[in-house]
Amino acid sequence: GENVEQHPSTLSVQEGDSAVIKCTYSDSASNYFPWYKQELGKRPQLIIDIRSNVGEKKDQRIAVTLNKTAKHFSLHITETQPEDSAVYFCAATTSGTYKYIFGTGTRLKVLA
Amino acid sequence: DSGVTQTPKHLITATGQRVTLRCSPRSGDLSVYWYQQSLDQGLQFLIHYYNGEERAKGNILERFSAQQFPDLHSELNLSSLELGDSALYFCASSDGNSNQPQHFGDGTRLSIL
């Protein structure tokens, strides 16, 4: 069945450095790719999303890129801050289906 | 505030018992998804309802069941509880189109003693 692989599972960066998290999906028909941030003990919250007709989207320090040919998409966080420390989940969905496939999560730790 | 309401926030019970978790989706959302998140684990998809009908099932145990009512709220029933069922249970809603973001509730933390 469809799946989404997410790497790395853990990531430590120094404050001010950049962080990159990558996801690879299996269903070539997937066309919507959201990213969620989950702080400890809290609910996942949408931070950015991208649709298949766009190659890149940026929102302040956060950007997402999509490579449909390779079937992967990545989250880029620049100028990381301690409050960026959290678990990040990617997901992939396909129009007309009810499937919402989440990656396994990346625990990001920003070291002050 | 996501607009998704989950009750109760915390639930402590014993093995062998049965509990019901409740979720009210955002106003206008027709889809409700249930997820289980064990300690330091990812989001395990359990089940999805759209406008009262079951649409997809994930790794949901036979001891677990769910339904979505005409007013669109949903309930997740967990029976014959085991220690391993201790987890955070999230409900998420969307407008029904899988091409839209899901909005998560704050979750119900279930502890089995």
Side-chain angles (χ1 to χ4, degrees):
Chain A
E2 298 92 341
N3 75 301
V4 174
E5 292 188 3
Q6 184 171 347
H7 297 283
S9 57
T10 60
L11 179 60
S12 292
V13 300
Q14 290 292 328
E15 183 178 0
D17 287 350
S18 295
V20 181
I21 303 170
K22 184 173 174 178
C23 287
T24 304
Y25 58 97
S26 60
D27 184 0
S28 57
S30 294
N31 56 1
Y32 175 62
F33 309 92
W35 284 90
Y36 291 83
K37 174 184 180 182
Q38 186 181 24
E39 297 178 6
L40 190 63
K42 298 195 174 179
R43 61 183 166 88
Q45 291 189 274
L46 179 76
I47 56 171
I48 196 166
D49 56 8
I50 192 168
R51 300 182 191 280
S52 58
N53 59 345
V54 175
E56 183 174 356
K57 184 176 178 180
K58 192 173 181 180
D59 183 3
Q60 299 183 336
R61 296 186 298 108
I62 294 173
V64 56
T65 58
L66 172 65
N67 183 328
K68 287 189 293 183
T69 302
K71 290 191 288 185
H72 67 69
F73 57 110
S74 299
L75 177 71
H76 304 255
I77 306 174
T78 59
E79 300 172 24
T80 53
Q81 301 168 4
E83 52 265 37
D84 294 329
S85 296
V87 178
Y88 292 81
F89 292 98
C90 64
T93 77
T94 307
S95 289
T97 75
Y98 297 93
K99 294 182 179 179
Y100 218 94
I101 312 297
F102 278 89
T104 50
T106 296
R107 183 175 300 280
L108 173 65
K109 183 179 280 189
V110 179
L111 306 171
Chain B
D1 183 13
S2 66
V4 179
T5 304
Q6 286 189 250
T7 56
K9 292 190 187 304
H10 303 278
L11 202 47
I12 302 174
T13 188
T15 54
Q17 296 298 305
R18 172 190 169 92
V19 297
T20 297
L21 313 184
R22 183 188 168 103
C23 170
S24 294
R26 284 191 328 158
S27 177
D29 283 357
L30 300 177
S31 271
V32 170
Y33 299 79
W34 285 99
Y35 296 90
Q36 179 193 57
Q37 187 174 43
S38 301
L39 192 62
D40 286 340
Q41 297 295 311
L43 295 163
Q44 297 297 318
F45 168 65
L46 296 178
I47 199 163
H48 169 225
Y49 280 85
Y50 173 77
N51 202 21
E53 292 187 15
E54 180 187 307
R55 291 295 188 178
K57 254 183 177 178
N59 298 321
I60 187 167
L61 300 171
E62 286 191 10
R63 301 184 285 108
F64 296 2
S65 65
Q67 54 184 326
Q68 186 180 29
F69 295 87
D71 67 352
L72 300 177
H73 91 271
S74 178
E75 292 181 357
L76 178 66
N77 300 296
L78 316 176
S79 61
S80 302
L81 287 169
E82 302 175 0
L83 294 176
D85 297 328
S86 295
L88 196 51
Y89 290 84
F90 285 107
C91 161
S93 75
S94 74
D95 69 357
N97 185 339
S98 59
N99 230 22
Q100 297 297 325
Q102 292 188 1
H103 301 271
F104 284 79
D106 288 334
T108 292
R109 183 170 296 283
L110 176 64
S111 299
I112 313 299
L113 303 179

